[in-house]
Amino acid sequence: MIPTLIGIVTITFILVKMRPDPVSMNAFSAEGMKESSASEKYMEDMRKYFGDDKPLYVQYFKTFKNLLTLDLGTSRIDHKPVTEKIAEALPITLALNIITIFIVYLISVPLGVFSALNDSSNWDNFVTFILYLLYSLPSFWVALLLIKYLSGGDYLNLFPLAGLSSVGYDEFSLWQKWQDLMWHLFLPIVVSVYGSFAFLSRFIKSSFMEALKSDYIRTAKAKGMTKRRVVYIHAMRNSLIPLITLMAGILPELFAGSVIIESIFSIPGMGKLAFDSIHSNDHAVIIAVVSFSSFLTLLGILMSDIGYTLVDPRISFEKEEAA
Amino acid sequence: MKLAVSAKKTSAKTKNLLSIENLKTGFHTPEGDVTALRGVSLHVNEGEILALVGESGSGKTITGLSALKLLEHPAYIESGFVNFNGENILEYDEQQIINFRGCKVSMIFQEPMTALNPVFTIGFQISEVLQTHLGMDKKESMKKAVELLKDVGISEPAIRVKNYPFQLSGGMRQRAMIAMALAASPKLLVADEPTTALDVTIQAQILALLKNLSRKEKMAILLITHDLGIVAQIADRVAVMYGGDIMETGPVKDVLEKRKHPYTRGLFESLPSAVVVKGKQLKKLKPIPGQVPSLKEMPEGCPFRGRCDKEKKECAEEIKLKTSGKNHKYKCIY
Ligand SMILES: Nc1ncnc2c1ncn2[C@@H]1O[C@H](COP(=O)(O)OP(=O)(O)OP(=O)(O)O)[C@@H](O)[C@H]1O
Ligand SMILES: [Mg+2]
């Protein structure tokens, strides 16, 4: 895990430093002409202020020192500490993604099981068709359509256009706050959820069908277990175990999806922060956001590994015996 | 279905526990339907061990599965009866079949490695049977599971009952399978090559265990195997199967000594264990030439005729069942 993180930070660092130096870039107008207001002296000062005047290797090690001490510098744009910006954005993105994962699993698992039990039936074909249709719709397009037709009032005004809270949020009661939040999050969640059904439910279908074909299922039938018991006890347990690992695989995708969704819906989370910081060439923020997202992804993988050992006796016991 | 008529006929014979009559089954395959069993008839009497022998692909497993109505898509049953205690189980509905499987008839399989569910403990898997068929509660059934494990010769049963299958050796798993199969004291056990996946010393132990249990519990066994050596050791009667049909059947002594059917002879001379059967030393191993044809290429008439050194024109026609001695029958023109 640690080497992976070092690698990610290194690559991000190289990519960021390959872009033009932000100070001089800002000093140029859109046409590429040097603006007169930015004197050489001012640019020197700014470089010094952000530490861009030091040799690259010094900046490189400083990046790690900053990450380790959680002192991530300040944003070039609004001069706020980066740590503070991340502390504000992270809970929002986490909440969005946790709700997303929860809903995706809640819907995909029954769908997958249903399809496995009714393999190649008309219903299965119908479900498959719909899921792949959803899968193939680009999320930015769906997001814009939803906004156009369901919010803003051009057609319907069911949902807010953007943001996370309504005016006067601070005076709301707790229940009102919760309602307001859900109201704002509804469309973003719909958009981040619908594309994942196909992948997950097809995965569950195939792993369930695999389980249904196995020898121990024949044994369970030969013992006189009821159909329900065979399916929901004997096959279920086995086919749900791989889902735990899968959760880790979905995480990076969700983080990537957050960039689009949060930007479109103006949700001040990590995705929007990443998008904005790349746009404004805000080095400190880019490095911090990328490092944090990858750290969380790796953490997710680690957690799913731990979850795996908790659920699958074969793995947990091997470790126990080895210890 | 018009199967009920014959079901009544067999119920008169009391000794007869399982009788399969003229069973024809097939498989739906992408290339069309193929016939797997071409009219199998066999019976198992109460408390006896019937060995079903034949090469790989001859249809033994399918026959065994049909005794529990376990054939499922893509397999289908074309015609025939599977009578247990005079009732045609092929006509059983969902509920009846659940009360039947694991209670009146149990089955154990070739691969003890995969036949047990990897994510449940041995105790859970045994107690399940007890709860379903004997109506025991959780505590009671766990206690009984320990006893059952002890009965099949597993040491430290109180610990093993809490183990998962992967923590047990192959031999122990097969014992656990047997314990599970016997939990509800069935009248018949279908054992599909129960020792093929085990090493030789364990094989002997498992066979001895099966034979003892059969005697003690008065339980009949339909023992599926491809090893005539095993047949000689523990079976009362034997049915030799080839190409989805029974070639020869009768008491073990008669069949192994007379070997009326050329296939039985071939099988006898081609198996290493035959070298020591009944102390008779064979000169040389003589494999049966050729291979079992695939279901699609199975010839009309005698299925063995393509590989038989005594093939004649008549072999292509339907072969009548001939009798040699009291219960010894075979299907060959000679
Ligand atoms: N699902 C299936 N689809 C098509 N053919 C099948 C299927 N399952 C089995 N068969 C065929 O049925 C025939 C009999 O199979 P069966 O498993 O009963 O043989 P067996 O005598 O038990 O052999 P073995 O000793 O290898 O277990 C074989 O030719 C096999 O290829
Ligand atoms: Mg078989």
Side-chain angles (χ1 to χ4, degrees), chain B residues 48-281:
Chain B
E48 79 168 349
I49 300 182
L50 172 72
L52 186 59
V53 278
E55 273 169 289
S56 188
S58 51
K60 308 180 298 288
T61 297
I62 299 174
T63 309
L65 289 174
S66 67
L68 281 87
K69 205 189 173 195
L70 270 175
L71 285 181
E72 282 176 353
H73 184 84
Y76 65 91
I77 292 177
E78 201 178 299
S79 63
F81 313 94
V82 178
N83 296 324
F84 188 84
N85 267 338
E87 284 179 45
N88 184 5
I89 65 153
L90 297 182
E91 286 182 339
Y92 275 1
D93 63 23
E94 186 72 29
Q95 190 53 48
Q96 283 173 306
I97 206 73
I98 279 163
N99 294 338
F100 172 75
R101 288 182 193 152
C103 185
K104 309 255 172 57
V105 179
S106 287
M107 185 156 180
I108 58 175
F109 301 95
Q110 179 171 348
E111 274 297 332
M113 297 300 169
T114 53
L116 289 162
N117 196 325
V119 297
F120 293 105
T121 61
I122 302 294
F124 177 91
Q125 298 186 54
I126 296 177
S127 63
E128 222 176 18
V129 181
L130 297 163
Q131 289 167 25
T132 308
H133 295 301
L134 306 181
M136 289 187 182
D137 63 24
K138 231 182 198 162
K139 235 175 124 191
E140 218 181 336
S141 61
M142 274 297 183
K143 240 171 78 188
K144 176 83 186 182
V146 176
E147 277 170 38
L148 284 162
L149 287 179
K150 208 172 129 212
D151 291 346
V152 295
I154 288 184
S155 55
E156 298 177 314
I159 296 171
R160 292 306 176 191
V161 83
K162 290 186 205 125
N163 280 172
Y164 289 90
F166 73 91
Q167 294 169 289
L168 271 55
S169 68
M172 275 208 269
R173 286 189 217 187
Q174 197 58 289
R175 283 175 196 268
M177 274 296 288
I178 294 172
M180 196 164 82
L182 298 190
S185 315
K187 288 266 140 238
L188 173 68
L189 176 71
V190 178
D192 188 0
E193 310 208 24
T195 59
T196 308
L198 306 174
D199 66 52
V200 185
T201 44
I202 313 281
Q203 273 185 18
Q205 290 172 11
I206 298 282
L207 288 173
L209 172 69
L210 284 176
K211 178 137 195 166
N212 282 339
L213 289 170
S214 163
R215 271 209 214 108
K216 217 171 80 191
E217 317 269 335
K218 299 202 173 52
M219 172 185 71
I221 299 180
L222 173 58
L223 181 71
I224 296 172
T225 174
H226 54 246
D227 190 341
L228 279 175
I230 291 178
V231 175
Q233 275 175 47
I234 77 165
D236 301 310
R237 286 191 312 116
V238 57
V240 180
M241 189 164 195
Y242 183 81
D245 203 353
I246 305 287
M247 299 284 102
E248 182 165 1
T249 173
V252 169
K253 198 162 166 285
D254 290 356
V255 173
L256 290 191
E257 279 175 8
K258 291 189 195 158
R259 287 172 244 149
K260 286 305 222 183
H261 200 286
Y263 180 63
T264 316
R265 273 202 292 286
L267 211 53
F268 194 80
E269 286 162 11
S270 68
L271 285 161
S273 56
V275 177
V276 290
V277 162
K278 307 238 155 171
K280 261 181 215 163
Q281 200 73 29

Side-chain angles (χ1 to χ4, degrees), chain A:
Chain A
M1 193 165 155
I2 306 280
T4 318
L5 268 179
I6 293 178
I8 290 169
V9 172
T10 304
I11 291 173
T12 317
F13 180 82
I14 293 172
L15 286 177
V16 164
K17 291 300 167 188
M18 269 165 62
R19 307 190 65 190
D21 155 31
V23 177
S24 54
M25 197 173 80
N26 265 27
F28 282 94
S29 69
E31 288 79 31
M33 295 293 291
K34 205 170 179 187
E35 280 173 21
S36 54
S37 63
S39 68
E40 286 296 332
K41 174 84 178 65
Y42 171 74
M43 280 162 60
E44 274 315 302
D45 286 349
M46 286 311 280
R47 286 207 184 96
K48 209 170 229 156
Y49 177 73
F50 290 111
D52 290 348
D53 58 335
K54 306 239 171 61
L56 272 181
Y57 72 91
V58 176
Q59 295 183 34
Y60 178 66
F61 287 113
K62 184 134 191 304
T63 306
F64 279 104
K65 188 184 153 241
N66 287 351
L67 284 173
L68 285 177
T69 52
L70 279 182
D71 165 26
L72 302 171
T74 49
S75 160
R76 241 175 30 77
I77 303 300
D78 54 11
H79 298 277
K80 263 203 211 161
V82 177
T83 323
E84 198 177 294
K85 290 183 84 134
I86 287 188
E88 279 167 16
L90 194 58
I92 296 171
T93 301
L94 275 185
L96 195 66
N97 285 336
I98 287 171
I99 296 174
T100 301
I101 289 185
F102 183 73
I103 294 177
V104 167
Y105 272 78
L106 199 69
I107 295 182
S108 302
V109 172
L111 272 183
V113 172
F114 170 83
S115 289
L117 294 179
N118 300 284
D119 181 39
S120 302
S121 69
N122 287 343
W123 272 111
D124 175 37
N125 292 338
F126 177 73
V127 167
T128 309
F129 174 76
I130 296 291
L131 291 180
Y132 276 101
L133 193 72
L134 289 176
Y135 176 70
S136 54
L137 300 178
S139 59
F140 67 90
W141 182 69
V142 172
L144 292 176
L145 276 188
L146 288 176
I147 290 176
K148 184 168 165 63
Y149 287 100
L150 297 183
S151 45
D154 279 355
Y155 295 86
L156 293 168
N157 196 6
L158 297 176
F159 295 100
L161 262 177
L164 257 190
S165 49
S166 311
V167 188
Y169 181 79
D170 290 336
E171 282 121 53
F172 287 177
S173 69
L174 203 61
W175 170 238
Q176 275 172 322
K177 274 185 181 168
W178 170 250
Q179 270 183 317
D180 187 61
L181 199 63
M182 284 302 118
W183 186 51
H184 280 83
L185 279 180
F186 187 83
L187 289 186
I189 287 175
V190 167
V191 174
S192 67
V193 149
Y194 77 85
S196 307
F197 293 150
F199 170 64
L200 200 65
S201 74
R202 293 310 93 174
F203 181 89
I204 292 162
K205 178 185 175 183
S206 68
S207 99
F208 209 83
M209 284 176 63
E210 196 58 44
L212 283 176
K213 264 190 259 160
S214 53
D215 283 359
Y216 56 80
I217 292 299
R218 195 173 58 178
T219 307
K221 287 179 185 161
K223 290 196 293 190
M225 296 297 112
T226 59
K227 226 181 208 160
R228 284 179 60 163
R229 207 177 157 81
V230 168
V231 170
Y232 295 108
I233 306 247
H234 283 269
M236 194 71 123
R237 176 62 90 77
N238 282 281
S239 52
L240 288 192
I241 288 175
L243 283 188
I244 298 169
T245 3
L246 214 62
M247 196 175 303
I250 295 179
L251 270 180
E253 238 177 275
L254 285 178
F255 272 122
S258 303
V259 173
I260 296 171
I261 291 164
E262 289 177 6
S263 301
I264 293 179
F265 288 98
S266 299
I267 294 172
M270 292 287 274
K272 188 162 185 311
L273 195 58
F275 186 77
D276 292 347
S277 64
I278 290 170
H279 249 261
S280 51
N281 216 5
D282 201 345
H283 284 192
V285 180
I286 297 178
I287 289 179
V289 167
V290 173
S291 312
F292 259 85
S293 306
S294 37
F295 175 71
L296 283 177
T297 305
L298 293 178
L299 201 67
I301 294 173
L302 184 72
M303 269 161 55
S304 79
D305 278 352
I306 294 170
Y308 209 92
T309 60
L310 291 180
V311 184
D312 193 330
R314 281 164 292 191
I315 294 167
S316 50
F317 275 80
E318 265 157 36
K319 287 209 179 122
E320 215 168 86
E321 272 161 21

